[in-house]
Amino acid sequence: MGGRGTFAAGNNVPYKYKTVEIIEGVKVLQPKDPKSSYNLPVESHSSSSYILLDKAGVFRQYREYNAQHEVIFEIGYHFENTLSKHGESVLHAHDYSAPGIQNRGKARLLTAEELKKYRKFFKGVDL
């Protein structure tokens, strides 16, 4: 699962993630190396979306990818400088102006519709 940004460029690299669970049909990934950064891959090898839980099993990140394997939408639950108070985690989204991690927009709060659509993935988050 995911090779940190080289698949869409046509360069296959060894998988750096493993699937540890499936929530509502979406693979939950975990870095194979426990010392690695806890972020999802910027490009997908095989799925249109992935979920990442933190080491305690709480939702941390969700990403959607297009047919070219590029990230196009993201939801996070962690400290976000522009939205968090006192270092607390906040549920938020990042829109992309175009496919690809370089086009990631600033964090914003989820809409009511997004919260309803994606809440099934927010394992361990008090809503």
Side-chain angles (χ1 to χ4, degrees), residues 8 13 19 24 31 33 36-37 41 43 49 57-58 60-61 64-66 82 84 86 91 102 110 113-114 116 119 125:
V13 296
T19 301
E24 297 286 328
D33 179 357
S36 293
S37 171
E43 296 174 345
S49 57
V58 176
R60 179 168 173 81
Q61 192 176 38
E64 289 180 0
Y65 304 85
N66 65 12
T82 59
S84 297
H86 310 292
L91 200 54
Q102 70 277 10
L110 295 176
E113 295 81 20
E114 289 169 333
K116 183 178 179 181
R119 75 181 309 132
V125 176

Side-chain angles (χ1 to χ4, degrees), residues 1-7 13-17 41-45:
M1 306 312 113
R4 286 308 281 179
T6 58
F7 184 74
V13 296
Y15 289 131
K16 294 186 178 192
Y17 298 88
V42 297
E43 296 174 345
S44 166
H45 272 262

